[in-house]
Amino acid sequence: MNYTDLLYLFDAASKTMMMAIIAIVMSTFVGVIGGVASVLGGRLVEMLVLAAVYILRGIPILVQLFLVYFGLPFFGFRVSPYTVAIIAISLHMGALVVEVVRGALVALPKQQSESGLALGMTPLMLMIEVLAPQALRAALPPYVSLIPITIKATSLASVISIWELTLASKEIANQTLATFEVFGAAFAIYFVICFPFTWFGRRLEQRYTGYWQ
Amino acid sequence: MNSHLRFDLNYILRHLPDFVPAISMALQILALASVIAMIWGTILALARLGRGPIYWAATGYIELFRNTPLLVQIYFAFFGLPVFGIFLSSFTTGVLAIAAQHGAFFAEILRGTIQSIQTQQREAGLALGMMPNQTMRYVILPQALRNAIPASGNQVVLLLQDTALVSTIGVYEITKTAHSLAERSAASFEMFVAIGVIYLIISGLMSVILRGIEGTCRVVR
């Protein structure tokens, strides 16, 4: 493994980060909409969201990747493998975000929504002005700790031949046979990307529990 | 476009028996990897309570394995170990790679429950004339392990999902079997729907069993 190979890995790492950023944004979108809808939308919506979360959480991301990969053409949609990976990872992680958002909203005292409604607020106003600001604080630590999980999940996209860090290191390992160095470098790069979020999530958690207890 | 919208249920039903060895393979990986990961996790958690090089080695290991993808760890073990003259079957490699990562997760769970055992208990043990390691072994660890049961149960369900990753190194568990059946037919989507349902059923059953174990092991305080 030489300098050029290392640059190749850095290039691939930027692809990994790009994919992770898109997936995080999309899963946040899915998760916040799903979580808020399950709290405000009444019994039927809640049950539908919970069923979707159960299914998305219970199936391995790798299998979901193949489900989307073969499922979209089955229903007549043609999309690139990159889009497939983004959709599959965003849905799986979105389900985890739904749980974080729901957990934070449900934990709020019931009197808050009751008094808000009694004051004549619409459910949406209640959410934006009373519930969301408080829930945000409780949701932040577990949300941040989902970020490294998303980054790690992007490695699975290599299985449907998306060129990112895992596939690139496999390529170089096969060419140079310097398996130890190449995968060691890949470990180091993933660690450098993921660890700050793990650390920050843990800090937030300690701070939050310290504040209330 | 709707003309080819035909879900081939018969293909799934015809190949359902093919999944019996696949499921048994996945369950073997699950059982072996869970047991090894729990033992390894306990060792790591105890090492992390120590001081000096032992603490740093355990901490470094846990953080490295928690912050890198399992897939890369599997590739590293599968392609890297032979370079050092270690030749293992893909099954063994898969089990060890999963156990290596999940050991780090179990260690973190156990560290949390050990720390939550009150310091009074430790002091009481020491006051009774027990050595620090005896206090750990007879007083703190039994309680910490029991308190770790609910979180470990959830972790084992996540481990089931990770068994799908060993399909990438050619172990014929559920995902790999579906993949090879899909390649031989036009019913790829159907195959993966089928195994999605299989995974849901297995993890559903596991949750029921784990709730049962949790109920039996709960201490009324």
Side-chain angles (χ1 to χ4, degrees):
Chain A
M1 196 172 122
N2 55 32
Y3 185 63
T4 329
D5 294 335
L6 199 62
L7 282 184
Y8 191 70
L9 286 187
F10 283 145
D11 200 10
S14 73
K15 273 274 162 74
T16 288
M17 273 154 90
M18 201 57 226
M19 191 159 42
I21 291 170
I22 300 174
I24 288 164
V25 171
M26 299 250 305
S27 62
T28 308
F29 197 65
V30 170
V32 170
I33 290 182
V36 171
S38 74
V39 175
L40 291 184
R43 209 46 184 274
L44 184 67
V45 177
E46 186 178 12
M47 272 164 62
L48 286 175
V49 172
L50 289 183
V53 167
Y54 183 80
I55 292 172
L56 290 172
R57 278 198 60 186
I59 300 176
I61 305 188
L62 186 61
V63 176
Q64 276 175 40
L65 210 57
F66 286 127
L67 270 172
V68 178
Y69 189 75
F70 293 115
L72 286 178
F74 181 85
F75 291 106
F77 298 102
R78 305 244 164 260
V79 293
S80 69
Y82 191 77
T83 317
V84 166
I86 294 285
I87 292 175
I89 296 169
S90 304
L91 282 178
H92 189 95
M93 297 313 297
L96 300 183
V97 178
V98 167
E99 296 216 308
V100 168
V101 172
R102 255 186 74 82
L105 286 174
V106 171
L108 294 175
K110 216 180 162 168
Q111 289 90 324
Q112 301 216 7
S113 356
E114 285 168 357
S115 42
L117 292 175
L119 286 170
M121 291 174 125
T122 63
L124 198 65
M125 251 170 89
L126 174 75
M127 178 59 68
I128 294 170
E129 294 189 10
V130 183
L131 302 179
Q134 301 179 71
L136 209 59
R137 182 175 219 153
L140 202 58
Y143 174 77
V144 171
S145 54
L146 288 181
I147 293 175
I149 302 182
T150 315
I151 299 170
K152 289 190 284 174
T154 59
S155 71
L156 297 180
S158 65
V159 176
I160 54 169
S161 28
I162 309 284
W163 187 77
E164 40 67 76
L165 186 49
T166 304
L167 190 63
S169 35
K170 212 179 154 189
E171 279 173 9
I172 298 184
N174 285 342
Q175 280 167 22
T176 61
L177 298 179
T179 334
F180 186 76
E181 292 91 326
V182 175
F183 285 117
F187 274 138
I189 297 174
Y190 273 116
F191 183 80
V192 167
I193 304 175
C194 291
F195 186 68
F197 295 104
T198 309
W199 182 82
F200 184 54
R202 208 177 305 152
R203 273 299 295 272
L204 283 175
E205 214 164 296
Q206 282 165 357
R207 195 179 202 176
Y208 180 73
T209 43
Y211 182 75
W212 288 103
Q213 282 169 0
Chain B
M1 273 298 182
N2 276 357
S3 57
H4 66 276
L5 245 181
R6 204 175 59 84
F7 194 85
D8 197 349
L9 194 62
N10 280 329
Y11 190 77
I12 295 180
L13 293 177
R14 197 147 23 95
H15 286 283
L16 221 45
D18 293 347
F19 282 105
V20 176
I23 292 170
S24 113
M25 176 62 91
L27 292 180
Q28 280 174 49
I29 299 170
L30 173 73
L32 276 173
S34 311
V35 171
I36 299 172
M38 282 177 193
I39 296 171
W40 182 223
T42 311
I43 297 170
L44 285 171
L46 291 176
R48 210 176 182 184
L49 292 171
R51 287 207 186 108
I54 299 177
Y55 168 83
W56 287 110
T59 306
Y61 177 93
I62 291 170
E63 296 299 355
L64 181 66
F65 277 78
R66 283 179 68 204
N67 287 295
T68 48
L70 179 58
L71 189 59
V72 181
Q73 292 164 17
I74 290 176
Y75 285 156
F76 181 73
F78 188 68
F79 299 110
L81 289 181
V83 176
F84 296 102
I86 305 168
F87 295 95
L88 301 171
S89 69
S90 41
F91 174 81
T92 317
T93 311
V95 167
L96 290 180
I98 295 175
Q101 182 174 55
H102 281 265
F105 290 132
F106 282 119
E108 281 300 277
I109 293 173
L110 195 59
R111 190 172 72 111
T113 58
I114 288 176
Q115 280 176 349
S116 71
I117 305 284
Q118 285 147 354
T119 40
Q120 284 100 313
Q121 302 223 14
R122 209 182 124 72
E123 284 163 2
L126 295 177
L128 286 169
M130 292 169 109
M131 299 301 286
N133 56 354
Q134 284 180 318
T135 320
M136 177 53 78
R137 192 167 145 200
Y138 296 109
V139 181
I140 296 172
L141 202 54
Q143 301 180 70
L145 283 172
R146 186 187 278 150
N147 292 348
I149 288 172
S152 305
N154 295 336
Q155 196 59 45
V156 171
V157 177
L158 291 179
L159 200 154
L160 168 75
Q161 298 198 11
D162 281 344
T163 62
L165 294 193
V166 299
S167 67
T168 55
I169 53 169
V171 179
Y172 270 81
E173 43 64 72
I174 303 172
T175 306
K176 179 72 183 169
T177 307
H179 211 115
S180 71
L181 284 172
E183 272 170 2
R184 279 193 269 140
S185 72
S188 315
F189 179 57
E190 285 87 335
M191 263 350 329
F192 284 100
V193 171
I195 65 164
V197 174
I198 291 176
Y199 277 112
L200 284 178
I201 292 174
I202 299 176
S203 56
L205 287 176
M206 278 170 65
S207 306
V208 172
I209 296 170
L210 289 167
R211 292 293 97 77
I213 294 175
E214 264 172 51
T216 328
C217 296
R218 188 175 300 134
V219 188
V220 185
R221 287 209 176 89

